[in-house]
Structure formats: structure tokens, C-alpha cells
Amino acid sequence: MNLAFLQDFAPLGVLLLGAVACLGVEAGLYGSRGDRGSLSRWIALAFTGLAFLAAVGFWRSSLGPAPPDVEHGSFLVDRFALFFYAAAPAAAAAILLTGSDLEEQLDPHQPLYHALVLVSTSGVMLTASGADLLTLLVGLATVSLPLVLGSALRKVDPGTVRSAARSLVITGALLATFVAGEAILAGLGHATQLSRLDALPPSPLLGLAALLIAVGVAGSLGAFPLTWWRVRATAAVPLGPALAGLALGALGGAAALLRLLPGALGAALPGWNVAIAVVAALTILIAPALAWRQRSLLAAVGYLFVGDAALVLVGLTWSGRPATAAVLYLVLGLVPVVTASLGLLGTLELSGAGDGIAQLRGLASRSPLHAGLLALLLSAVVGLPPLTGFFARLMVVESSLQAGLGWLAVVVVLGAILSAAVALRWILALLDPQAEGQPLELPSRATLIGLGLSVAALAGFTVTLGPLMGIAARAALAPLAGP
Amino acid sequence: MPSDVSLTLIVFVPLIGAMVIALLPVRTELERFRVRTGALLATGLPLAIAIFDLLGEVGNPAQGAIAQPSIDAPWLRGFYFQLDYHLGVDGLSLMLLFAVTAVFPALVLASWRMRERTRSHFALLLIAETSLAGFFATQDLLLLVVFFWLPVFPLALLVGSGSRPGAREAGRRLLVTQSLGAAALLVAALLMLLQTGNTTFNFVTLSTVGPLKGAPGLIAAGLLLFAFGARMAIFPLQRWLLDGVAAAPTPVAMLLVVSSLPVGAYGLVRVLLGMDPRGGLQLVVPVLLLAVLTLYWSALRAVGERDVRRATAALLAGVSGPVLLGIISFSETSLSGALWLAFALTFVAPLLVLAIGAVADRGGGAEITSIAGRAAGADRLKLMFAVGAASLGGVPFLVGFPGVFQVVVGSFAEHRFITAVVILGMGLLAYAAWRVGTGPFWAPGGEPELPEPITDSRGSEFYAGWWLAAAAVVFGITAGYFVPYTVHGTDLVAARVSSMAPAKVPGK
């Protein structure tokens, strides 16, 4: 029996093996009770590293003019998928490192949480490889459900149980919305394969399907009308799973949306892009406005991130390859920002420093490292130049202009100004010289490594904008129609 | 050493220095000394490169065309637009880039005695140098936007973290005003790119291919005037500068004035006139009005102000008036004068702020009545102020003279009445400078007893002042050698504007 085909699943398989190993630790098969969390974290990190290397190896073997895409039924390994194959394990590593201090909240179930992160990461890969509607659905469910379950690992009071249950119900409802959109598409195209949907003509029903799909996917990231829920859910559940849910959800969601909308339905763009643009515009304006009202930095960052994630929808309004490359670059830049900022804020909260404006006022004089990092990350979240978000915004604005949606470009600029105002307000509070307080302890070594790598990634993504966009453009080449 | 590497080093060595300094410990005096020395090295190296390589490379334009060292590497390709890592110097930017590298060692020396937040102060100072040097060295409009925004944050932090009353408010005002300016610049840049159909932000391309016309041109010009005018502290956007200089520690106030007028003036010439000349031509009347208003408003404000720091800032903001006149007169000579004034202010403005700041710091306050006559015995400070004020007033053989002279001569043919009004305004500004100076530096007659005298400048503060005053004198005496650099840069801009409106604009 020839088992050579198994190598095509190597990155995915490595992650699932890692998850099994972490479950072994959870079950007490190895490792003493005291250091299980640390042991399983290093196991998970090792497996994400292996998966990343396997993905890079795949990419290098497909650098020719016509890459030999691997196809197993509805499972496609092309350059687009490989982009996510490399990005997802890197994101998982960032989550595991920057969120390591937050895992205290999940004690003694850290190994189970690590296993869920790895499963969710494999879900991103599965989504990116999805060549039909069902695979995309399974992939998305694999991304979101494990981390929703992970948020139920801390059951300290009825409130936490309720929050986890509410997250589960809303995630289920969002998946159902996504399925409804897919069902319309399947009905219109009489097929579930993406390759057979590209001939669909623009129609109101197609617009509705695209809207349902966009809301189903982007809703979990806080797109309108779920903006309020997303941030409240993030604040109500343990921060580790919440952080992982946002980072991996952004990757998985972008993969699904790109495969489906500009990818499969690119030819029928005028039939659906305005609906998507409206959802994006509402989110982009509402999120920073809500962020402005927050007295908690965690909530403010949550809303700002929601505004950033809505930029993915803006990038989808044009089916050209540069637009898709811009979305890929945007998502790539979002991951280190969200993991580092939420990880750092969680650390502050656990250390008793809090995340309220009164508690953080004057943080610079008490803890320059914390304040400097927070200021940098806030600048990155809102895309102040010269950080990655600035170039990403610029590129999605250009995409919306290419799509003939000038008003959307104006909305993005307005949203950017509002977001910048929120960030600057917090940064000034952090730097208030008149406030006093106790110095803060440094985060753990693992968290510091994670934060350092995230900041390095932010700088690196700016400096290597050209090469990264080149990779993203190659990744956008294979599955997508358009110029 | 090839000059393309030189430019990269000039721009980014301070940033590397800032990163290193941010990691150094500052617990003991020795460790703080290391931080200061590191900052001095990080500012000294770009200056050395600028002197020995950059100036040597370009030669003397009086003897023929200058070489234009540059580095142009693709940064982003395959997108709707292209980005380049494009640094270069030409006649417009060479002297200003040199001035930035020359002034920062003085700023480090002036900060030498700072005891609080040593590490963050020097790190932010170096980041500001990178952004200013990058602003003058870049040849790509999007990079220019980035470098225009980059110093805003360090400046706001430095101003806002001061301990004087109103520091926080001043930092916030600076941040808001300059952020809005940067946003306006970005929108104007995008408008220029989209409306002209270009796909690159390259200066040369934007300056030569399809200039903006009609309403988009006017909108872009308005945005550019707001962005760079806010940085120059023109009327009515001066408060951020006045509050900042009044509330910030003296070295920070010096940095603030270095980062304001030269940046705005260069931006207007390079971007507004270079890339949107039609828009610039539509703004002649409003800009002339702003020039006069800025000059008179600032001069009167300086005369009436009781706070000497604030009065000094108003004096410096007033120079934006003649600079605006020089820019909007479009002739090669007036443009060269405007740029030379910007160059001169890079040395003169911090010199004045240093002298007045030292008096106010040691006098226990900036209220003119509390320090009246107390610095009469401080000869070094008095000399620094005198050199600065005389340079500002256009006294021959000092650095300001060639600028004032060229602006007046270059503008007179086109705007006789306004030029005369500006000359009168310069007189008023000179009176304001006299009034600010006579307060602390000259003992009032008939006063039997003066309070405790203010000690004179010594040590690092003196070296900083000496360095700046020497630059003001040296560049004043050798202006004949250096002015051709700016003239060489402005002739192309003037010719381009002339070609757009030959009937209205005088030639050379």
C-alpha cells in the first residue's frame, strides 16, 4: 500500500500529533503534576516549529512558474494554502509564548488548552486548503469551536460558565449563518466545489449569500452587528483562549473569505461587494467610536482590533491579486499585534496593575518597559506610520478605490483617524508624569520572549514589506480570478 | 565610501544609537555618562560622514553641476503603486540635511546635565534625528510622509513628560496639531498619486509627470499648506509651538524649534511647489496674507508677552512670515532665500532658546519681571543671544543675512507692496528681539539693588551654545560658498512654476 500521499498532510498531521502529545500530558501519562503546563507548552511549541518548517519546505518545492499543486479530493495544497500553513504555526507559537502568563487562569488544564490551540491551528490549515464548501465549513468549525471550549476551562463562578456558554451559542449561530450562505451558493451553482461556482452571474441572491458568509465569518471577529458581543466575550472569558481565538480566527476567517469571495465568486464581484462594503464601513466606524468610550484598555484594544479586522472585508471588495495580497499582509501584521497587546494587558491584569485608565495613568514612570511596549502596540493596532498597519491600510484603501468604492476609502480614513485618537489618548495617559504608583514586576521569561518576537515581527514586516508582498502575491496567484 | 551608504548611515545610525541606549542601564552616574556619551557618538558619526563624505562628494556647485548621491532600491513592487527605499540629496535638501547632522551634537551637549529620564530623553532625541534626517534625505513621497510623522510622537513625549505646569497640555496639543498635519499630508500625497495616474511616489516622477489641475490641485495644495504650515507654526497654528517651548525643558524646546520651521519650509518648496505647482499658484493671495499675518501677529505677541520663553518662540514663529513670502514669490532667488532662512534657523533658533532657557532655568522662572537684569553679568549667554538675534535680524556676516537678503530681493519684483510690509514687519520683529533680550541681559538703570545674578553658561551648555553660535558665524562668513547649493536646487522648482504660469510669474 502506497502511503506516500501522507506526506502532503505533514504540517496538518504534525499539529494533530502535537495535540495528542499535549493530551497525553493532560492525562498524566508523563510529566509531574507541577510542571505539566510548562512541559506541554514546550511540546506544543516544538510541534508548531516542525509544522512551520514543513510548510516552508512545501513552499520551496513549489517555487516554479507553475507550482505542482497537491489535490486530494476537496483538500488542496497550493501556494495560497501554504501561506497559511506557515502563518498559522507562527501565530500559534506567538499565542503560546505571549499568553503563557495567562495560562494560570486555566490551571490545571493548560495541556488541554495547548492541545486545543494546536487543533485550532490545524483548522486554519484545513480552511486554507478547502476546495469546496463543506471543507471550508469543517475548517472554520475546527478553528473556532476548540477555543470556545477552551474558554470554558475556567469555571470559577456561574458568570464564567454563562460567558462560555454564550460564546458557544453565538459561535454556533455564526457557523449556521455561514452554512446558510453556503447553502444558497450550492443551490445557485448546483455544486459544492469552489471551482464550479466561478460562473455564477451577479444576482440579489448571490449578494445575500455573500453577505451571510461575510457576517458568519467576520462576525466572530466582531464585524457589525456583533461588535459589542465580541469585545464583551473577550473580556468575560479567560484571556488565553480569547487571544488565541482572535488571532487564529483572523487567519482562518481571512482564508475562508478569500477562497470563497474573490476566489470563487470573483467574476460576480459587482453582485456582492457593496453589501460587504457596507458591513465593513459600519464596523470601521462603530468600533473606534466604542473604543473611545472605554475606560478599560483591554476593551479599547478589543474594539480597535475589531476595526482592524473589518479592513479584511474592505480588501475583499476587489478581486484583483494585489487586493488579496494586501489582505494577506494585513492579517499577517494583525497576528503579532493582537497576541502581544492582549498578552501584555493580561499580564498586567494578573499582576494586579489592572487595565483601567486610572490604574494605567503614569505607567511610564513606574514601568517604562510595560508603558513603552503598550505605546508601541497601540500605535501598531491603529496603524500609525511606519508600522505594518499603516501600509496595510494604505493598500486596502487602494483596493477599495480600484473597486470604485471611493466612499469606503473615505470611511477607512475616518476610521483610522478615530482609532489614532483613541490610541493617542491612552498613550498620553500612560505617559502622564504626574501620576504615581508602585513599580511593576516583569512578565515571565516565556512571555518576554513572545513579546520580543512579536515586536521584532512588527519591525520585520515593515522592513520586508516588498518581499512579503511578493510572497503574498504569489500566494494569491493560484486560486484567484481577476487581474 | 560610496555616498549611497553614507545617506543610509546618516539617517539610521541615530536610530541604532537610540535602540542601544534604550537597553543600557541608568542606575549610577557612570551608567548615565555612558548613555550620554553613546548619544554623542550616535550624533557625531552622521556629522562626520556628512562633512567628510557627503559634502566632499557633491563638490562646489559654483564650479559646475553638483553630483547627486542617492540610493534607490525597490521596496514594494507588484502592487497598484510602487514604493522605493529612495534616499538622495540635491540642492534643495543638501544644506538642510547637513544642518540637521550638525545641530544634534549640540542638542546632546545641551541635554548633558539632565538627570531625570536620561535614557528615554536621549533615545527619543536620536529617534527625532533619524526622522528629521530621513525627511530631508528621502526622495519618495510616502517615505517623506512617514518621516514627517515620525518625530511627532517623540516630541510630544518629550514635551509632555516635562515637569513644568502645562507640559502635559502642551504635549497633547503638539500631538493633535501635528497628527492632523501628517494626516493632511498623507491625504494630499494619495490625491496626487491617484489624480495624476502615477504609480510611484518618486519625487522626480511626481514632479515631472502630469501635474494636478483644477479642484484636486487646489485641495491638495490646501492640505499641503495646512500640513507644512502647521509645522512652521504659521498664523493661526502657533499655539503648539509657543506652549511647547514654554513648558518643555530647555534642550527639548531647542529640539522643538529645530523640528518646526525648517521642516515646514522645505516641505512647501519640495512638495507644494515641486509637485503641485498649479495648486501653489492658486494659493498666492492667501499665502501672502498668511505671511503678513504670521509675521505681525508673532512680532506683536513677542512684544507683549511676559514669559520670555514664549516670547522667544513667538519671535521664531515670526520668521515663518518672510519664509512664506520667499516661497510664494516663486523666483529662484526668493526660494533660495527661504530655504537658506530655514537652514539658518536650524542653528539660530536653538541658540536663542538655549540662551533664554538657561536664564529662565537659573532665574527660577520665565516671567520677564522676575529675571529683569539678572543676566547682565552673564557675558557668554549675552553673546549667544546677541549672535542669535542678530542672525535672525539679517545682520551681514551672520547666517541669517543671505536668507533675508535673497527673500527681499527675490520677492520685490513680484510683490512690491507686500515685500515692503514684510520689511517693516522684520523691523518690528527686530524690536521684539531687542525687547526680549534687554529684559534679562541688560540691567535697568537706576535700580539700586538687583536680586541674585544669574550665573553664566559653563561646561556642556556653553559648548552647545558655542557650537551653534560658531555655526551661525561660519556659515554667515562663508555664505558665498554654500548659497549656490540652494540656488542650484531652487532653479528647477522656479522654472517649473514659471512654466505653469508664465504670464504671472517672473523668471529668474
Side-chain angles (χ1 to χ4, degrees):
Chain A
M1 184 177 166
N2 185 5
L3 296 178
F5 73 95
L6 281 178
Q7 70 179 4
D8 300 334
F9 296 91
L12 205 71
V14 165
L15 287 177
L16 293 176
L17 273 178
V20 170
C22 290
L23 286 175
V25 180
E26 172 77 15
L29 294 182
Y30 41 91
S32 63
R33 189 174 171 79
D35 64 354
R36 271 185 204 165
S38 176
L39 176 66
S40 71
R41 186 185 313 121
W42 290 114
I43 289 174
L45 279 170
F47 278 93
T48 53
L50 282 175
F52 178 80
L53 290 176
V56 172
F58 270 42
W59 179 278
R60 289 178 66 82
S61 69
S62 69
L63 279 180
D69 295 343
V70 176
E71 199 167 352
H72 295 287
S74 304
F75 186 84
L76 181 67
V77 184
D78 54 7
R79 286 179 179 179
F80 176 81
L82 286 176
F83 183 88
F84 287 92
Y85 276 34
I95 290 163
L96 293 168
L97 284 169
T98 54
S100 58
D101 283 354
L102 312 179
E103 291 168 11
E104 261 181 41
Q105 293 177 313
L106 305 172
D107 194 45
H109 298 298
Q110 294 100 324
L112 177 55
Y113 165 67
H114 297 145
L116 292 172
V117 169
L118 293 183
V119 172
S120 185
T121 309
S122 69
V124 175
M125 293 180 172
L126 188 58
T127 310
S129 281
D132 77 354
L133 297 173
L134 285 174
T135 314
L136 288 178
L137 174 65
V138 173
L140 273 182
T142 314
V143 174
S144 54
L145 289 176
L147 293 169
V148 173
L149 295 174
S151 66
L153 288 176
R154 185 185 64 161
K155 295 183 282 291
V156 292
D157 57 50
T160 50
V161 177
R162 260 201 308 276
S163 299
R166 196 180 299 129
S167 290
L168 189 61
V169 170
I170 293 181
T171 304
L174 286 169
L175 283 173
T177 310
F178 181 76
V179 171
E182 283 195 330
I184 294 173
L185 284 184
L188 288 173
H190 305 291
T192 59
Q193 291 96 329
L194 300 185
S195 57
R196 292 179 59 186
L197 298 175
D198 61 357
L200 288 177
S203 69
L205 215 49
L206 184 70
L208 176 66
L211 186 65
L212 290 172
I213 284 168
V215 170
V217 175
S220 63
L221 297 172
F224 182 82
L226 288 136
T227 313
W228 293 268
W229 164 76
R230 176 70 263 176
V231 175
R232 283 182 195 163
T234 303
V237 299
L239 259 178
L243 178 160
L246 283 176
L248 294 175
L251 280 173
L257 288 173
L258 285 171
R259 277 272 186 218
L260 260 173
L261 296 179
L265 305 179
L269 185 81
W272 52 265
N273 70 347
V274 176
I276 305 287
V278 170
V279 176
L282 286 169
T283 313
I284 285 169
L285 290 176
I286 288 172
L290 290 171
W292 180 264
R293 294 178 52 196
Q294 303 308 311
R295 310 294 294 171
S296 142
L297 185 52
L298 182 62
V301 168
Y303 281 117
L304 291 176
F305 173 74
V306 167
D308 278 359
L311 293 174
V312 171
L313 295 178
V314 178
L316 295 177
T317 55
W318 181 238
S319 58
R321 224 169 63 212
T324 305
V327 171
L328 293 176
Y329 180 75
L330 168 73
V331 177
L332 202 61
L334 275 181
V335 170
V337 172
V338 72
T339 52
S341 52
L342 294 186
L344 185 60
L345 281 170
T347 313
L348 282 175
E349 201 177 331
L350 287 179
S351 68
D355 70 336
I357 196 159
Q359 294 149 312
L360 293 181
R361 191 176 290 284
L363 184 67
S365 51
R366 291 185 278 144
S367 178
L369 180 72
H370 284 99
L373 277 174
L374 274 178
L376 179 70
L377 292 169
L378 273 166
S379 307
V381 170
V382 300
L384 294 182
L387 300 167
T388 50
F390 170 70
F391 294 105
R393 272 180 170 76
L394 208 58
M395 290 190 284
V396 295
V397 162
E398 185 71 29
S399 300
S400 64
L401 290 173
Q402 294 288 334
L405 301 170
W407 62 270
L408 187 58
V410 174
V411 167
V412 174
V413 172
L414 281 177
I417 292 171
L418 282 173
S419 301
V422 176
L424 296 178
R425 181 185 182 209
W426 278 95
I427 291 169
L428 286 173
L430 292 174
L431 302 166
D432 188 342
Q434 281 139 25
E436 289 178 357
Q438 294 296 315
L440 298 180
E441 281 182 21
L442 286 178
S444 69
R445 183 171 294 178
T447 305
L448 278 177
I449 292 172
L451 290 171
L453 289 176
S454 298
V455 170
L458 278 178
F461 289 170
T462 301
V463 174
T464 59
L465 171 68
L468 271 180
M469 280 297 287
I471 291 172
R474 279 167 177 268
L477 182 69
L480 301 166
Chain B
M1 185 193 295
S3 282
D4 51 356
V5 178
S6 309
L7 287 170
T8 299
L9 289 176
I10 286 172
V11 174
F12 290 106
V13 161
L15 185 65
I16 294 166
M19 289 177 187
V20 172
I21 280 174
L23 298 173
L24 291 176
V26 284
R27 286 181 293 267
T28 64
E29 187 52 38
L30 179 64
E31 288 171 344
R32 279 194 283 274
F33 177 77
R34 282 183 192 142
V35 166
R36 290 191 284 259
T37 314
L40 194 59
L41 280 175
T43 53
L45 188 59
L47 174 62
I49 296 170
I51 291 173
F52 294 110
D53 194 55
L54 206 54
L55 285 184
E57 186 86 10
V58 296
N60 183 2
Q63 296 165 356
I66 62 169
Q68 299 189 345
S70 71
I71 175 169
D72 187 2
W75 192 13
L76 173 64
R77 288 286 182 274
F79 196 63
Y80 306 119
F81 53 78
Q82 300 173 4
L83 283 180
D84 297 300
Y85 173 68
H86 191 176
L87 302 181
V89 285
D90 53 16
L92 292 181
S93 57
L94 178 68
M95 292 310 292
L96 286 163
L97 179 61
F98 176 74
V100 166
T101 59
V103 84
F104 269 82
L107 295 182
V108 171
L109 286 173
S111 310
W112 205 263
R113 292 182 191 168
M114 288 195 77
R115 291 287 175 272
E116 289 181 5
R117 299 194 182 88
T118 317
R119 186 171 46 188
S120 61
H121 173 84
F122 284 108
L124 292 171
L125 193 75
L126 292 173
I127 292 173
E129 178 172 5
T130 284
S131 43
L132 287 178
F135 182 81
F136 292 123
T138 184
Q139 295 283 313
D140 185 277
L141 187 56
L142 198 69
L143 268 186
L144 182 131
V145 175
V146 170
F147 284 121
F148 183 77
W149 154 258
L150 204 55
V152 173
F153 212 72
L155 285 172
L157 293 185
L158 286 167
V159 171
S161 59
S163 55
R164 292 209 187 103
R168 208 173 120 200
E169 199 53 43
R172 185 175 296 162
R173 183 163 289 119
L174 186 155
L175 195 60
V176 171
T177 312
Q178 296 309 319
S179 298
L180 287 175
L185 179 58
L186 176 62
V187 173
L190 290 177
L191 200 60
M192 277 196 263
L193 187 80
L194 298 171
Q195 290 292 322
T196 56
N198 280 314
T199 55
T200 169
F201 286 98
N202 191 299
F203 280 176
V204 176
T205 310
L206 285 172
S207 301
T208 50
V209 179
L212 285 174
K213 295 172 187 168
L218 184 60
I219 293 170
L223 290 167
L224 292 171
L225 180 62
F226 173 75
F228 295 121
R231 187 60 68 86
M232 288 170 74
I234 64 171
F235 177 86
L237 300 165
Q238 299 180 321
R239 200 167 162 195
W240 69 273
L241 183 69
L242 270 59
D243 287 358
V245 170
T250 301
V252 176
M254 292 167 72
L255 173 63
L256 203 55
V257 293
V258 167
S259 317
S260 58
L261 189 134
V263 170
Y266 172 75
L268 282 177
V269 176
R270 170 69 81 183
V271 186
L272 176 63
L273 300 194
M275 297 170 209
D276 185 16
R278 286 185 207 274
L281 283 165
Q282 294 181 71
L283 289 179
V284 170
V285 175
V287 173
L288 285 175
L289 195 65
L290 283 173
V292 172
L293 277 172
T294 302
L295 177 57
Y296 278 83
W297 178 264
S298 309
L300 290 172
R301 190 155 194 170
V303 169
E305 190 59 67
R306 309 296 301 163
D307 181 316
V308 283
R309 280 200 189 94
R310 197 178 282 273
T312 310
L315 271 180
L316 297 171
V319 183
S320 297
V323 170
L324 276 182
L325 173 67
I327 289 170
I328 211 66
S329 295
F330 302 129
S331 77
E332 180 186 310
T333 310
S334 70
L335 286 171
S336 170
L339 282 182
W340 187 269
L341 264 180
F343 168 75
L345 269 202
T346 313
F347 300 106
V348 172
L351 180 63
L352 282 171
V353 172
L354 175 68
I356 289 294
V359 171
D361 287 344
R362 292 202 275 280
E367 192 67 22
I368 205 156
T369 49
S370 68
I371 52 173
R374 289 173 60 194
D379 292 334
R380 288 170 172 178
L381 286 174
K382 195 189 285 183
L383 187 63
M384 284 180 206
F385 184 86
V387 169
S391 299
L392 206 64
V395 170
F397 300 113
L398 290 175
V399 69
F401 172 71
V404 175
F405 182 75
Q406 287 183 94
V407 166
V408 170
V409 170
S411 307
F412 195 72
E414 179 69 6
H415 308 293
R416 291 183 185 197
F417 176 70
I418 296 291
T419 307
V421 172
V422 166
I423 291 170
L424 280 176
M426 290 293 285
L428 186 60
L429 204 63
Y431 169 70
W434 173 261
R435 206 165 177 280
V436 171
T438 50
F441 291 116
W442 275 267
E447 282 282 342
E449 284 183 17
L450 282 174
E452 187 185 353
I454 289 166
T455 53
D456 205 353
S457 187
R458 281 183 304 173
S460 53
E461 181 191 273
F462 169 68
Y463 296 129
W466 180 87
W467 178 255
L468 294 170
V473 174
V474 167
F475 286 110
I477 293 169
T478 58
Y481 182 84
F482 291 107
V483 165
Y485 284 126
T486 49
V487 175
H488 187 271
T490 53
D491 58 358
L492 286 175
V493 177
R496 182 167 158 76
V497 180
S498 298
S499 70
M500 298 287 167
K504 284 187 173 180
V505 182
K508 297 176 183 180

